[in-house]
Amino acid sequence: MSDLIYIGKDVQSFKKSNRFEPYDRVVLNLDDNYYVSSPSVSVTNASVYDNYANGTYTFTYSPDESKWETPTHSYVTSSELESTYGLTVHYSDVTSPKSGDVITVTKTTVDNESKITVDMARSGSALRANCPLVKPSDRQKVADNLLKRVYGFAYQPYSAKGAYMNPAAEIGDAITAYNVFSGLFEQDTTFNRLFLSDIGSALSEEAAIEMQYETNTDRRYNRKLAETAAQFSILSDRISSFVTNQAFQAALEVMANQISAKVSGTGGDANSFAWSLSTDGFNLYADGNLVFKCDRNGITVNGNGTFTGEVYASNIRSDAVSGYGGSFSGGGITPGSIASAQCSEGIVQSLGYADFFNSAIQPSTSTYPQNFTAARIDAYNAFYSGGYKVREQGEVVYDLTAHYHSFTERDGKIYMSAPTGDSSHANFNIADTETYKAAVPASRAVLYCNATNYQDVSSGFDCDMTGASYHYDVNGVTYGRIAIRNSSGTDLKTIRVKLPASGGEITNSVTITGAQSSSATNRGVITATASTNTGVTATGTYNIYLNVTENTSSRVTVVVLDGSSNQLATRSFTPQTSGKTVSGVNITRAGYNDYYWTGSAWHIPVKARVTYSDSTYDDFTGDISVQDVVEAAQREAGCTGHVEVTSTSGNSAFIKIYNSSWSAVSVGGSSVGKWITAGTSETFG
Amino acid sequence: MQDTSSITNFDTIVGAGNYSVETKLVINNVEYGEDKIFSVKTSRQLFTTQNPTIGNAVVGRLDATIVQPTANIPQAAEIKPYIRVFNDSLVSGWLQKGVFFFYQRWIDDDSDAMKIVAFDAMFRGNQTYPSSKLQWDDTHPYAWQVVNEILSFMDVTAEEDTLTLLRQSDYIVQFPAQYSMRDVLGSIAAMYGGSFMMTNEGLMRFVAFADLPGETFYLVTNDGSPITFGGKKILVRG
């Protein structure tokens, strides 16, 4: 229901218990001569029932007299409202009409006389039309449809006489005259050379903005002024704008298929910068040279580029660097070094090599980039030169499964230095058990293990060379091998042992025969034997000699020498029989049954007898180092390593064998060292 | 806006500006150029009062003064004004600016020229609604059916868009006893929120009050044609 309700002057509020809907318009007649067309409406004590609000509707009005009009409508009184429309009218005082705060209710109405009213939103006026032929049953439908069509439409009155406009303009066209947008509702056209029209959209009460018309003279004058500083033209296929002053010239051209702009210096500074936007690309120019281009193929930059953020690229072409003769500065990646199609996660495929020395991973020897502490290099292909140093916790993974030849043949080296004070990360793994075997026999491969803080022997070093050949040559010398095992029988380390000329691996290492005097001579013999698993046995005979270097009535000194005249020990004593002449000295017993500790080493007592000229004699005891004796025997046998007597018991000594680096050698698999009894022989190994 | 895309050079010349307009009249299929024309003026008012209105059937008017023609001009003869534009180098084709019919003519005593008052075909609607062939009751006829019958009575064709719009509503029209056809058209136009008028091509058109072409803020040429880049219009923001 869309009511048009006129209320008499004595009615300022009423209570409506009937239907009242949005956009209903209420015209409040204040007296017989004026009415306010746009009252504000407030609702109090309203309740909603059956989609309609019941409550007290209070109307205030704008006192703006310019909005008042002479009433042209009939109105009803409150009593008529009650009797005719079923409205309950209450009275209240409106003592202070509010200025402004006006709610304009837009509405279309088809009244009982089939008069159509369209209330205007902006002007406070209304369109009214007689519509006698509309059927009463269609009035509401017509009003509703009209409201949908016109609601919110802002009618803009104007008039423009002598308008110079497109000759094809006609009634119903929209027109923009300066900032006024309205319709062409009136058109009186005079057919002459200028084809001028008087146009407008009428409204009697408001003056309109007139569309100005410039004479030809006016236009020429204005254009001339404009050209002095700037020129702007719009043609059917082009828009161009030029601005000039003493400092520069600027131009903007908008054409059908291109937009371009240019700024040029006109004084001593003749720099210029320009850009163009076309259907296929965007270009930037500096001093006439293309510096940046963007098109469907990507971007091209002629010159340097600075990226303050990260740069991502799915592919770096092999010729992207070398093809232009450029390089990655700093020497980190030399031209052509990354030639493969992908560098997505490091160098996953390379036909060349990656030289990271002093670059990405290690930019300097003194400063390590912290963000590369977990750097990883996967090198699944050969390395033809150079090497890798990975600091901190970096990991180098070599897959040498099918490429070991290139490694060994190129004399490749792997250096690994454990961080100072941190041995836990110095892990070096050759994961593929099939590759290292082949890496050795070329005879020139050298594995350096500089684990200066090597601590965890059992887990930190696992280099099993037993599968390799039984001998190898270094500088033309043939060496055998001794495997060092821990108490569990696991080989810990191997040492090279110079073998007899026929070579072979020492399996039965050393046999020591205790030195003892078998005759009254000044010479004793210790025998050491080394045999190999190839059946070669080398026996070294260690001779000791006693020389009397001092022979007086009060003091006799005997020196123990080995076969090479190396002094092993010296012993001085006072003869028991004084004043007699020594006629000879003989070893009566040596290294037998009575080793003793001198405070720094175990020694073999050497018993000797000094015979005097009257056949009297004195027996005395000297000593030599067992260690010296055994090592002398080893040297005679051509063996390296050391032997240590760690304890004695009766006429037996506990012998331990060490390699040349004084690492204990496992003997027998369950203990380090072995008891040996004087006068017998034992086999080590 | 009349469609001028098929008229040779018209948009080009208007777009370039600095053009002049030439007029001719075609009266009963005889052309009268500017050498025979003293003045021509057309007038169309969509509103009948000084306030905006709806529900009108606008009659367009032509006032012309020409040299006395030698040819015979029959009663209520057709008179059509044409214009074309030209500049220093181009001349356009002719653009029709209305179809009118002689209403009154006389020879001016002072100038010895013929003065003409003519109205367009809407003027024919000033007759009482003739005998209708439609069914008139509580459910008949629809408004668009009435318009169609009036068009046939007036020997006028409506634009297809107008007919399409009218068919979108099923308003029932009461029998127009004692009403002229223009009254009926106006009443129906009010139902639809606009007015009827005759176009420059001589077709009847419904002009809705609130259906102005939307303001687009597109960058346009002098003649209002949008300037495009690769087929895209340029939107200008203030």
Side-chain angles (χ1 to χ4, degrees):
Chain A
M1 174 177 174
S2 297
D3 284 338
L4 177 62
I5 304 168
Y6 299 104
I7 305 173
K9 66 177 182 179
D10 55 348
V11 179
Q12 278 81 45
S13 69
F14 67 94
K15 185 174 184 179
K16 185 177 182 182
S17 58
N18 205 338
R19 307 168 68 180
F20 198 83
E21 298 177 341
Y23 307 125
D24 277 3
R25 175 175 169 80
V26 177
V27 178
L28 179 64
N29 286 289
L30 297 178
D31 54 41
D32 291 340
N33 297 318
Y34 301 99
Y35 78 96
V36 175
S37 60
S38 301
S40 63
V41 181
S42 61
V43 182
T44 57
N45 301 322
S47 63
V48 178
Y49 174 75
D50 194 20
N51 294 328
Y52 300 109
N54 297 322
T56 300
Y57 295 80
T58 301
F59 302 88
T60 58
Y61 57 90
S62 168
D64 184 358
E65 295 185 359
S66 66
K67 300 295 184 183
W68 295 359
E69 292 181 353
T70 300
T72 57
H73 305 285
S74 60
Y75 62 92
V76 297
T77 64
S78 58
S79 59
E80 290 172 333
L81 280 172
E82 291 180 325
S83 61
T84 304
Y85 295 95
L87 303 178
T88 301
V89 179
H90 294 265
Y91 298 93
S92 64
D93 295 330
V94 180
T95 57
S96 179
K98 296 169 64 177
S99 177
D101 191 21
V102 172
I103 298 175
T104 301
V105 182
T106 301
K107 172 189 173 183
T108 61
T109 304
V110 180
D111 61 17
N112 291 338
E113 296 179 353
S114 293
K115 292 181 179 179
I116 294 176
T117 300
V118 178
D119 293 290
M120 300 300 297
R122 293 180 55 185
S123 68
S125 184
L127 283 73
R128 298 182 178 87
N130 292 323
C131 187
L133 300 180
V134 64
K135 293 178 72 69
S137 58
D138 279 348
R139 288 172 186 163
Q140 187 62 58
K141 182 165 59 179
V142 170
D144 292 343
N145 289 343
L146 272 179
L147 184 61
K148 294 176 183 176
R149 293 177 62 88
V150 304
Y151 180 68
F153 173 73
Y155 175 78
Q156 175 63 58
Y158 75 97
S159 68
K161 296 188 181 301
Y164 183 67
M165 56 192 302
N166 192 315
E170 59 183 346
I171 295 289
D173 287 347
I175 186 168
T176 299
Y178 290 93
N179 293 325
V180 177
F181 176 77
S182 188
L184 187 59
F185 297 117
E186 303 171 359
Q187 186 180 30
D188 292 338
T189 303
T190 300
F191 288 63
N192 55 20
R193 281 288 182 265
L194 293 175
F195 202 70
L196 303 180
S197 295
D198 297 338
I199 60 175
S201 59
L203 188 65
S204 59
E205 68 179 13
E206 290 195 20
I209 298 172
E210 291 193 2
M211 178 184 288
Q212 293 184 356
Y213 167 68
E214 294 179 341
T215 65
N216 287 335
T217 301
D218 291 337
R219 286 197 295 271
R220 285 196 297 272
Y221 175 71
N222 290 337
R223 184 175 300 116
K224 181 175 178 59
L225 288 179
E227 286 173 348
T228 302
Q231 178 176 330
F232 181 76
S233 62
I234 301 176
L235 303 178
S236 60
D237 61 345
R238 173 183 298 182
I239 303 172
S240 60
S241 176
F242 300 92
V243 178
T244 61
N245 63 19
Q246 295 181 349
F248 67 91
Q249 295 177 341
L252 172 66
E253 293 249 18
V254 180
M255 289 174 281
N257 60 353
Q258 178 175 309
I259 305 174
S260 61
K262 181 178 182 181
V263 177
S264 302
T266 57
D269 183 2
N271 293 337
S272 69
F273 189 81
W275 59 264
S276 66
L277 176 65
S278 61
T279 56
D280 59 352
F282 174 68
N283 296 331
L284 295 179
Y285 303 87
D287 293 337
N289 298 316
L290 178 67
V291 296
F292 181 88
K293 179 180 182 180
C294 179
D295 57 22
R296 65 164 61 179
N297 297 318
I299 63 173
T300 301
V301 178
N302 295 323
N304 298 326
T306 301
F307 300 89
T308 59
E310 297 178 342
V311 177
Y312 296 91
S314 58
N315 290 288
I316 299 177
R317 287 165 53 90
S318 60
D319 60 350
V321 175
S322 59
Y324 289 89
S327 65
F328 288 83
S329 62
I333 301 177
T334 57
S337 61
I338 300 178
S340 65
Q342 297 183 13
C343 291
S344 58
E345 296 180 0
I347 304 170
V348 298
Q349 183 180 3
S350 174
L351 299 177
Y353 66 92
D355 181 4
F356 292 110
F357 187 71
N358 281 337
S359 60
I361 295 179
Q362 185 185 358
S364 69
T365 56
S366 59
T367 302
Y368 302 148
Q370 295 303 313
N371 56 338
F372 283 97
T373 55
R376 171 177 176 143
I377 299 174
D378 291 340
Y380 292 105
N381 211 327
F383 302 90
Y384 292 105
S385 64
Y388 284 84
K389 282 190 175 182
V390 180
R391 304 283 179 166
E392 303 295 334
Q393 300 175 29
E395 181 180 5
V396 180
V397 177
Y398 292 95
D399 181 2
L400 302 176
T401 304
H403 306 287
Y404 53 86
H405 288 298
S406 61
F407 177 79
T408 57
E409 290 173 1
R410 296 289 178 175
D411 291 335
K413 296 179 180 179
I414 301 173
Y415 292 91
M416 182 178 70
S417 298
T420 301
D422 181 6
S423 63
S424 62
H425 294 102
N427 298 324
F428 177 65
N429 297 314
I430 298 179
D432 194 318
T433 57
E434 298 300 323
T435 58
Y436 74 94
K437 296 176 181 177
V440 175
S443 79
R444 291 191 297 274
V446 178
L447 178 66
Y448 295 92
C449 297
N450 299 320
T452 56
N453 291 285
Y454 186 76
Q455 294 177 351
D456 189 352
V457 174
S458 62
S459 61
F461 193 89
D462 183 12
C463 181
D464 183 3
M465 299 173 68
T466 57
S469 174
Y470 292 124
H471 66 89
Y472 56 95
D473 297 330
V474 176
N475 298 326
V477 178
T478 302
Y479 288 87
R481 190 196 67 157
I482 295 177
I484 302 172
R485 300 187 178 97
N486 61 16
S487 60
S488 299
T490 303
D491 290 344
L492 303 180
K493 196 171 184 179
T494 57
I495 60 172
R496 64 183 186 181
V497 178
K498 182 180 178 182
L499 294 175
S502 57
E505 183 182 17
I506 296 174
T507 54
N508 300 305
S509 179
V510 179
T511 300
I512 299 175
T513 301
Q516 64 181 94
S517 177
S518 60
S519 63
T521 66
N522 66 338
R523 186 173 68 92
V525 178
I526 297 176
T527 301
T529 301
S531 61
T532 71
N533 61 349
T534 60
V536 176
T537 300
T539 301
T541 300
Y542 177 51
N543 297 310
I544 59 173
Y545 301 91
L546 301 178
N547 282 340
V548 177
T549 59
E550 185 178 18
N551 185 12
T552 66
S553 59
S554 59
R555 181 180 178 87
V556 174
T557 299
V558 178
V559 178
V560 182
L561 303 174
D562 63 11
S564 299
S565 299
N566 297 314
Q567 180 173 311
L568 302 178
T570 181
R571 175 68 172 173
S572 296
F573 57 92
T574 301
Q576 295 180 2
T577 301
S578 62
K580 293 180 180 179
T581 300
V582 175
S583 59
V585 58
N586 298 305
I587 296 176
T588 56
R589 183 170 179 165
Y592 182 78
N593 200 33
D594 48 0
Y595 304 100
Y596 64 94
W597 176 251
T598 62
S600 60
W602 288 95
H603 292 261
I604 300 174
V606 177
K607 291 183 178 181
R609 172 170 293 179
V610 179
T611 303
Y612 305 106
S613 58
D614 59 356
S615 303
T616 61
Y617 56 91
D618 281 330
D619 290 330
F620 67 93
T621 301
D623 64 286
I624 58 174
S625 166
V626 172
Q627 193 69 45
D628 292 340
V629 171
V630 174
E631 288 191 356
Q634 283 185 288
R635 283 195 298 273
E636 291 298 326
C639 298
T640 59
H642 304 279
V643 177
E644 182 183 17
V645 178
T646 59
S647 62
T648 62
S649 176
N651 63 344
S652 297
F654 191 80
I655 305 298
K656 294 181 70 175
I657 299 177
Y658 300 85
N659 61 19
S660 58
S661 301
W662 279 99
S663 295
V665 176
S666 172
V667 179
S670 60
S671 62
V672 179
K674 198 169 185 180
W675 287 98
I676 182 171
T677 302
T680 64
S681 63
E682 292 290 341
T683 298
F684 294 81
Chain B
M1 186 75 72
Q2 288 180 267
D3 181 11
T4 55
S5 59
S6 61
I7 299 179
T8 305
N9 292 333
F10 193 93
D11 292 342
T12 301
I13 296 171
V14 173
N18 277 337
Y19 59 85
S20 296
V21 179
E22 181 182 352
T23 304
K24 74 175 181 181
L25 292 172
V26 177
I27 302 174
N28 197 29
N29 295 323
V30 177
E31 291 191 1
Y32 296 85
E34 290 188 340
D35 58 335
K36 295 182 173 59
I37 298 174
F38 292 109
S39 69
V40 177
K41 181 178 180 181
T42 59
S43 177
R44 294 183 177 89
Q45 308 289 334
L46 203 59
F47 305 144
T48 56
T49 71
Q50 287 304 302
N51 285 319
T53 56
I54 59 174
N56 304 315
V58 177
V59 176
R61 171 171 174 155
L62 177 143
D63 293 273
T65 303
I66 64 173
V67 175
Q68 286 192 50
T70 56
N72 179 44
I73 300 176
Q75 195 170 17
E78 180 184 78
I79 175 171
K80 296 188 290 187
Y82 287 84
I83 62 166
R84 66 180 179 184
V85 293
F86 63 93
N87 54 26
D88 293 341
S89 57
L90 293 174
V91 177
S92 77
W94 290 98
L95 175 65
Q96 183 175 322
K97 294 301 293 181
V99 181
F100 300 89
F101 300 93
F102 272 68
Y103 174 72
Q104 192 175 19
R105 75 183 94 172
W106 70 93
I107 304 300
D108 183 71
D109 292 339
D110 296 331
S111 62
D112 201 28
M114 174 182 284
K115 289 186 174 293
I116 302 167
V117 175
F119 297 104
D120 62 21
M122 190 67 77
F123 191 79
R124 299 174 183 170
N126 288 330
Q127 304 175 45
T128 303
Y129 203 104
S131 176
S132 174
K133 297 180 180 178
L134 299 174
Q135 178 182 350
W136 300 85
D137 53 30
D138 287 343
T139 57
H140 297 87
Y142 296 131
W144 59 270
Q145 292 175 314
V146 175
V147 172
N148 271 343
E149 188 172 56
I150 293 175
L151 289 172
S152 65
F153 289 147
M154 294 170 59
D155 192 20
V156 168
T157 303
E159 290 187 327
E160 189 57 38
D161 289 348
T162 293
L163 297 175
T164 300
L165 174 68
L166 295 176
R167 291 192 193 100
Q168 290 176 355
S169 299
D170 55 356
Y171 302 140
I172 304 299
V173 179
Q174 299 187 102
F175 184 71
Q178 303 303 314
Y179 286 102
S180 71
M181 289 185 287
R182 277 188 65 198
D183 292 335
V184 176
L185 287 174
S187 181
I188 292 174
M191 298 179 193
Y192 288 86
S195 299
F196 284 109
M197 58 165 283
M198 300 301 294
T199 67
N200 286 315
E201 291 74 24
L203 303 175
M204 183 178 291
R205 172 184 293 171
F206 174 78
V207 181
F209 174 71
D211 279 356
L212 290 179
E215 189 169 20
T216 62
F217 298 100
Y218 286 129
L219 192 62
V220 298
T221 63
N222 286 349
D223 65 338
S225 301
I227 297 170
T228 61
F229 296 144
K232 303 297 184 183
K233 299 183 179 68
I234 305 167
L235 190 61
V236 180
R237 297 186 181 278

